[in-house]
Amino acid sequence: MRHRIAIGGPFALLLLLCSFALAAYAGVRLLADDWSRVALWIVGAAVLHDLVLLPLYAAADRVIVGGLGTRTMYVRVPAALSGLLLLVWFPLISGMTAARYRSATGLSPDGFLARWLLITAALFAGSALLLVVRVRRARKRRPPADH
Amino acid sequence: MRDDPRLPFSPRFWRSPLRGPWFTSVLGLVLLVGITVLFVTGLVSYAAYNPDLSPVNDKTPDKGVLGFYLFAWPTSPHWLYRLTQGLHVTLGITLIPVLLAKLWSVVPRLFALPPARSLTHALERLSLVLLVGGGLFEFVTGVLNVQLDYVFPGSFYVLHFYGAWVFFAAFVAHALLKTPTALRNLRRSREERNDLVSPAPAEPTVSRRGALWFVGGGSLLLFSTTVGQSFDWLRRTALLAPHGGADPGTGPNGFQINKTAAYAGIDPAETSEDAWRLVITGRTGTVRLSRAQLDELPSHSAALPIACVEGWSTSDQWWRGVRLRDLAALVGYDGDPPDLFVESLQRHGAFRRAALRANQVADPRSLLALYVNGEELSPDHGHPARIIVPAAPGVLNTKWVARLTFGDL
């Protein structure tokens, strides 16, 4: 008996072949100037995200969950939001484009780090306040047992 | 390998109780709408440059059929580019948490074994390299470009435009294959089980709805610290956006600048009253005008914004100067203004030369501006004269104009 290769659904197959043809049409143009570096950026973006960034933040999250249990969200939310801002605005916050930024826009590049730190402080402070308020409210509702 | 829970190839390695068809479907449908808007506004921005008008406007001359939809960019409403490009950049930044959460929700599938069940399945997984890699590439190049961090391998226009088509090809296939399932997952009240649901879930620390609020909160935070860079009166709230916070100086010229005179390499000696002459060429020959002579021509005003490809914009500024169609009339185009080729004193920069289409030249609000908000243009805003055209992308509003050539391009 001969082994047959499983093909799968014909609609999905046609759709994917069409998609690859269009991607190749644009891809030839995308890779025309510096194909190795552009390809490295595209594959690298996926690899860096899936195999570095995601495992790193998942591991950090696991540490928080392990240490805090049910109170996890009070730390997880402000930490993640602060990290998100840092991830998106890293070039400005780190100052790595400061010279070009100042010279091109006429604006000061100095405030970004300070503003990010203040937002981070506000996020953690807000979360702490919320935690205190909720803990107190829960205590009031459940008066301590008699000793 | 599949049975060892210490390895990601085992379903038991993935323990989050959040993962499942409902969570992934909600995020997927948000991205379906959001990325479609990003793609369309991106194509619109490409059309706004009028790339088919002249090679100087076109950074991707090899586009082939990818420019099939190009059209003459209109001048009304005058806030059109401000809206479409503000939407493109602000929405793109806002969607980043949704994209990250979506990728997190499906990451177990990256390690799923066997690698392929059929030829179609193998192709689908290969297509995901273009979907994930291409999508991240688009977001990363966009986010870096608006921060002037030009570390990507080539011209932003080329990479972001062709990259968008590679990504979109994979995105359409993915959307057509998955959207019916996603809609079915949302309609179903009882959770179906699929490969994303952990067989050995950990104790939940947040509900699925709570996790969605978490993602939405991230989007809201990015949105609320970015959107202000599209409005002068909200600018101070854009705490981390590149054109948020302060304006560069005070007074009539104290609004946002894309490239300062120093950055563009403008020598003050060239723009002085004695040295600077505007050279206008057309059907009947060449005219040279000093700044004082320009002041004697009929002057008009228009309230128009500066709207940059980087997604920021200013509110309407009050410009005053000579209509482009009046300048065309000086060189033989009375009543039928043609296309216009504009050259700047700028030494370098991708758009030191730019082309405007006849419909843009003919608009009565299209000016060679000499004044803004009642005062002479500052060097950084293009002194002695700059172009301002309604609805045109910022870089086509050439500053430090040296030469205007009227005629069909």
Side-chain angles (χ1 to χ4, degrees):
Chain A
M1 209 178 87
R2 274 184 20 209
H3 275 287
R4 265 198 268 169
I5 296 172
I7 300 289
F11 172 72
L13 181 63
L14 291 172
L15 191 63
L16 287 165
L17 291 174
C18 173
S19 160
F20 280 121
L22 177 59
Y25 184 88
V28 168
R29 288 157 174 78
L30 178 65
L31 300 176
D33 283 340
D34 189 350
W35 72 269
S36 56
R37 280 181 69 213
V38 175
L40 185 69
W41 266 64
I42 293 180
V43 177
V47 168
L48 269 181
H49 173 271
D50 289 352
L51 301 181
V52 179
L53 179 68
L54 194 147
L56 273 181
Y57 75 68
D61 189 64
R62 219 166 265 194
V63 171
I64 297 178
V65 174
L68 294 173
T70 54
R71 300 267 159 83
T72 295
M73 287 307 273
Y74 291 96
V75 176
R76 184 193 263 161
V77 172
L81 294 180
S82 168
L84 177 70
L85 291 177
L86 181 64
L87 179 73
V88 172
W89 301 119
F90 185 75
L92 287 175
I93 292 172
S94 68
M96 60 198 283
T97 57
R100 182 186 291 128
Y101 179 84
R102 184 196 298 278
S103 134
T105 66
L107 298 167
S108 164
D110 300 332
F112 291 101
L113 175 63
R115 290 203 285 268
W116 174 69
L117 289 172
L118 288 176
I119 294 171
T120 301
L123 287 167
F124 281 113
S127 193
L129 196 65
L130 193 66
L131 175 64
V132 170
V133 168
R134 286 194 178 159
V135 166
R136 287 187 130 201
R137 208 181 283 164
R139 273 204 200 126
K140 269 187 202 152
R141 241 181 274 143
R142 258 184 297 120
D146 291 332
H147 291 287
Chain B
M1 268 196 315
R2 282 210 62 179
D3 302 324
D4 186 345
R6 288 169 306 176
L7 295 175
F9 306 99
S10 160
R12 305 180 74 81
F13 175 85
W14 306 97
R15 304 208 45 207
S16 172
L18 290 176
R19 287 199 184 91
W22 185 82
F23 193 59
T24 296
S25 299
V26 173
L27 297 169
L29 289 170
V30 172
L31 288 177
L32 173 66
V33 176
I35 286 176
T36 304
V37 173
L38 290 184
F39 185 68
V40 170
T41 49
L43 292 190
V44 162
S45 176
Y46 184 64
Y49 278 73
N50 280 327
D52 50 346
L53 178 64
S54 160
V56 298
N57 288 16
D58 194 0
K59 303 301 159 200
T60 49
D62 301 325
K63 59 190 171 297
V65 300
L66 302 180
F68 72 93
Y69 66 94
L70 291 174
F71 53 95
W73 184 249
T75 55
S76 286
H78 69 274
W79 39 260
L80 183 60
Y81 191 70
R82 193 178 171 203
L83 173 73
T84 62
Q85 196 57 14
L87 186 61
H88 182 79
V89 172
T90 310
L91 179 63
I93 289 167
T94 304
L95 283 177
I96 289 171
V98 186
L99 178 72
L100 294 178
K102 172 68 164 61
L103 292 176
W104 175 84
S105 80
V106 292
V107 75
R109 285 197 180 143
L110 178 67
F111 301 94
L113 293 177
R117 293 187 303 269
S118 66
L119 178 65
T120 304
H121 185 234
L123 289 176
E124 195 180 335
R125 294 196 73 175
L126 188 63
S127 173
L128 291 179
V129 176
L130 299 183
L131 185 75
V132 176
L136 289 169
F137 181 76
E138 286 302 286
F139 276 84
V140 169
T141 50
V143 163
L144 290 176
N145 188 62
V146 302
Q147 297 178 75
L148 317 185
D149 194 3
Y150 308 132
V151 291
F152 32 75
S155 152
F156 173 72
Y157 289 96
V158 175
L159 298 177
H160 205 64
F161 177 69
Y162 291 135
W165 278 102
V166 171
F167 168 56
F168 195 68
F171 176 78
V172 169
H174 186 70
L176 285 172
L177 290 174
K178 300 292 188 183
T179 307
T181 316
L183 289 171
R184 215 176 318 133
N185 287 336
L186 289 195
R187 275 198 297 267
R188 217 166 265 173
S189 52
R190 196 165 42 86
E191 177 99 316
E192 60 165 6
R193 297 198 68 79
N194 77 354
D195 55 314
L196 292 174
V197 179
S198 172
E203 202 56 32
T205 53
V206 59
S207 69
R208 284 194 171 127
R209 272 175 204 285
L212 266 194
W213 279 109
F214 184 20
V215 176
S219 286
L220 185 68
L221 180 67
L222 281 170
F223 175 82
S224 59
T225 51
T226 302
V227 68
Q229 67 170 347
S230 297
F231 304 93
D232 286 349
W233 52 278
L234 259 184
R235 196 167 307 280
R236 295 232 159 242
T237 66
L239 291 172
L240 295 173
H243 284 261
D247 272 319
T250 54
N253 273 287
F255 56 94
Q256 295 294 310
I257 299 161
N258 183 34
K259 301 275 182 281
T260 61
Y263 187 86
I266 302 300
D267 179 356
E270 289 180 292
T271 59
S272 69
E273 179 66 44
D274 294 336
W276 185 79
R277 292 293 178 272
L278 176 67
V279 181
I280 312 174
T281 305
R283 201 187 265 157
T284 53
T286 297
V287 175
R288 282 165 193 279
L289 296 174
S290 69
R291 180 56 215 269
Q293 288 170 310
L294 272 174
D295 263 331
E296 286 161 19
L297 294 174
S299 104
H300 296 270
S301 43
L304 299 171
I306 296 286
C308 184
V309 69
E310 292 160 10
W312 58 269
S313 57
T314 71
S315 298
D316 289 354
Q317 310 295 326
W318 187 60
W319 308 91
R320 192 159 184 81
V322 184
R323 280 181 176 157
L324 293 181
R325 66 184 192 190
D326 291 351
L327 294 172
L330 287 182
V331 287
Y333 294 97
D334 211 347
D336 60 333
D339 304 329
L340 169 59
F341 191 78
V342 185
E343 291 166 83
S344 169
L345 288 173
Q346 230 175 307
R347 289 280 182 278
H348 45 80
F351 285 91
R352 65 186 185 281
R353 296 173 301 167
L356 296 170
R357 208 186 284 274
N359 69 310
Q360 295 174 309
V361 178
D363 193 290
R365 296 165 295 175
S366 297
L367 304 177
L368 181 72
L370 310 172
Y371 301 90
V372 65
N373 302 321
E375 196 177 83
E376 289 260 345
L377 289 175
S378 68
D380 289 338
H381 283 301
H383 177 81
R386 78 170 298 168
I387 300 285
I388 186 81
V389 170
V395 285
L396 296 186
N397 294 313
T398 309
K399 299 196 276 193
W400 315 290
V401 174
R403 184 185 285 268
L404 301 175
T405 307
F406 289 94
D408 292 328
L409 291 166

